[in-house]
């Protein structure tokens, strides 16, 4: 309900801003797809897969079946040592779809009707003439990580590059940042750490 109400306000306000202002979406906690690549020596259950190429694990309904959910939890969990969080052994994690909106519009492609997230928002602007991946984009991230960890991984450098590209492509239109939930502190950290000049 909060997201629906927030989007209603945004859909009312943004068209009043400068025409065709490019939009960058910072999704919230669990608000974009996550993929895993496995090369594990052991698993927590005989049903679990030890080896796989990149595959969707958030969100995919089949991952939450009884007992199978233990596999999911083991792949998603993070370990902590010497002040650092890291993935479980044999697990690589990534957030696909950077610079597009696909992985924040629908979280599980097999269940579009119940896992829609930013689909209504993006579709609204697409109907106004916005182009996905051109002047309306998203910057998905590994939402298990803290803002400063994402900084160390080079996430914000990519965000800065995308925003500058959108600004230049649009002929110098100011870029609008839309952030939901955890996307708020993520975007705030980005603006603070890179010391960008923003005008409201």
């Amino acid at each position: 309900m909060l997201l629906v109400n927030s989007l209603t306000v945004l859909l009312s306000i943004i068209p009043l801003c400068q025409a065709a202002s490019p939009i960058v979406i910072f999704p919230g906690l669990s608000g974009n797809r996550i993929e895993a690549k496995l090369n594990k020596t052991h698993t927590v259950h005989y049903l679990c897969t030890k080896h796989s190429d990149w595959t969707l694990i958030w969100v995919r309904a089949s991952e939450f079946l009884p007992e199978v959910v233990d596999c999911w939890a083991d792949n998603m969990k993070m370990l902590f040592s010497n002040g650092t969080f890291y993935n479980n052994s044999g697990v690589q994690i990534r957030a696909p779809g950077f610079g597009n909106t696909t992985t924040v519009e629908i979280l599980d492609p097999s269940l579009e009707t119940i896992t829609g997230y930013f689909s209504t928002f993006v579709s609204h602007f697409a109907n106004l003439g916005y182009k996905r991946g051109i002047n309306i984009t998203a910057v998905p991230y590994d939402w298990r990580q803290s803002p400063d960890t994402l900084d160390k991984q080079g996430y914000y450098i990519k965000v800065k590059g995308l925003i500058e590209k959108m600004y230049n492509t649009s002929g110098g239109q100011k870029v609008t940042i839309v952030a939901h939930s955890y996307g708020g502190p993520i975007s705030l950290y980005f603006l603070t750490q890179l010391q960008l000049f923003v005008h409201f």
Side-chain angles (χ1 to χ4, degrees), residues 10 22-26 163 175-179 183 187 190-191 196 198:
L10 286 168
I23 300 171
V24 176
I25 300 169
F26 284 79
I163 290 177
V175 177
T176 299
I177 289 178
V178 175
S187 59
F190 163 68
L191 294 172
L196 299 181
V198 289

Side-chain angles (χ1 to χ4, degrees), residues 14-197:
I14 292 181
L16 301 178
C17 302
Q18 194 170 6
S21 169
I23 300 171
V24 176
I25 300 169
F26 284 79
L29 184 68
S30 74
N32 56 257
R33 299 179 198 172
I34 293 290
E35 294 180 342
K37 185 176 183 179
L38 306 179
N39 186 23
K40 306 176 76 172
T41 57
H42 65 278
T43 62
V44 296
H45 197 282
Y46 74 91
L47 291 174
C48 303
T49 300
K50 288 185 179 180
H51 307 283
S52 76
D53 201 350
W54 292 108
T55 184
L56 180 68
I57 64 169
W58 181 267
V59 56
R60 190 170 68 176
S62 59
E63 295 283 344
F64 299 98
L65 294 173
E67 298 184 327
V68 177
V69 71
D70 296 334
C71 310
W72 173 84
D74 192 57
N75 293 333
M76 283 289 287
K77 74 179 182 182
M78 300 188 72
L79 306 177
F80 182 79
S81 178
N82 298 322
T84 303
F85 284 98
Y86 54 94
N87 294 326
N88 199 3
S89 179
V91 180
Q92 296 180 60
I93 295 289
R94 71 180 183 185
F98 188 93
N100 209 311
T101 59
T102 304
T103 60
V104 303
E105 289 190 63
I106 304 294
L107 300 183
D108 183 347
S110 67
L111 294 171
E112 292 189 12
T113 56
I114 62 174
T115 63
Y117 180 38
F118 265 98
S119 55
T120 300
F121 181 89
V122 174
S123 294
H124 172 83
F125 285 97
N127 290 335
L128 295 178
Y130 278 72
K131 303 296 182 184
R132 291 173 170 87
I134 304 298
N135 57 356
I136 183 165
T137 66
V139 285
Y141 55 94
D142 182 353
W143 32 260
R144 303 171 308 150
Q145 307 282 4
S146 65
D148 61 315
T149 299
L150 291 173
D151 191 5
K152 295 174 184 175
Q153 295 173 347
Y155 170 73
Y156 299 111
I157 298 300
K158 291 177 59 180
V159 173
K160 182 175 183 290
L162 176 64
I163 290 177
E164 290 175 343
K165 178 181 178 181
M166 295 176 70
Y167 175 82
N168 292 329
T169 301
S170 68
Q173 296 279 7
K174 294 179 182 178
V175 177
T176 299
I177 289 178
V178 175
H180 174 244
S181 182
Y182 189 40
I186 293 294
S187 59
L188 177 61
Y189 186 98
F190 163 68
L191 294 172
T192 301
Q193 293 299 309
L194 293 184
Q195 299 179 348
L196 299 181
F197 292 97

